[in-house]
Amino acid sequence: MRTRRPAGLRAVAVGLAAAACMLGTPALSAAATLSSAPTSPPRAATQPPANADHIAMLKRSVGEWNNWRKAHPGVRPALSGADFYHGDLRRADLSGADLRGANLSGADLQGADLSGADLSGGLLVEADLTQADLTHTNLSGAYLSGARLGGAKLGCRDNAVCKG
């Protein structure tokens, strides 16, 4: 999978789009707060490092990744801060994954299983989440400007009451 970084005006547009839609709660709401969005999500001091092998495998092949997940059901994927800008992650099994602060802007996540994943502080600007499973997913502080959510399964984290 080849990643492409935004350049020039595109980078400014992506940054402005992210700033226009910062969501501060796990629930998706129509209300957005205007904030200065980072060009890449900040890493928390306590955030464990991503596993380079996990990132490389997922970038190489979603099929290989899904087979590995089936063979290793007890492993929580460590993908925090990873860059999947415009990545092809259709139907990827990312359930329970640590994707805190990951860049998934423009990524194709159609039909992906993100149930129970932690996407807090992540960039999902213009990501395609059509038919994705987002039940019990932590989207706290995620930037979702322009994200497509048609048919996505939504649900509150830890059976909490959705607010917003």
Side-chain angles (χ1 to χ4, degrees):
M1 174 175 66
R2 185 175 162 195
T3 58
R4 196 178 81 231
R5 292 235 183 247
L9 292 176
R10 174 125 173 92
V12 172
V14 169
L16 289 175
C21 189
M22 184 182 94
L23 298 177
T25 65
L28 299 176
S29 68
T33 58
L34 191 58
S35 175
S36 175
T39 54
S40 63
R43 286 181 55 91
T46 59
Q47 185 172 325
N51 184 313
D53 292 335
H54 291 180
I55 294 169
M57 185 187 327
L58 184 53
K59 285 185 176 185
R60 203 168 37 248
S61 164
V62 169
E64 178 185 349
W65 172 261
N66 287 345
N67 288 336
W68 180 83
R69 288 297 312 267
K70 286 177 188 168
H72 301 88
V75 177
R76 182 177 187 211
L79 303 167
S80 61
D83 187 0
F84 294 108
Y85 178 80
H86 276 271
D88 184 356
L89 302 173
R90 286 174 287 178
R91 294 177 296 285
D93 179 358
L94 296 167
S95 59
D98 180 358
L99 284 155
R100 289 176 291 164
N103 182 3
L104 293 158
S105 293
D108 187 347
L109 291 154
Q110 293 180 60
D113 183 355
L114 292 157
S115 60
D118 188 349
L119 287 162
S120 59
L123 292 176
L124 290 108
V125 176
E126 297 179 9
D128 189 347
L129 294 158
T130 306
Q131 299 294 319
D133 185 349
L134 296 167
T135 55
H136 305 289
T137 300
N138 184 355
L139 292 166
S140 178
Y143 299 92
L144 291 158
S145 178
R148 291 173 296 288
L149 296 164
K153 296 177 189 171
L154 303 172
C156 297
R157 181 178 163 92
D158 300 327
N159 296 319
V161 176
C162 291
K163 298 177 183 176

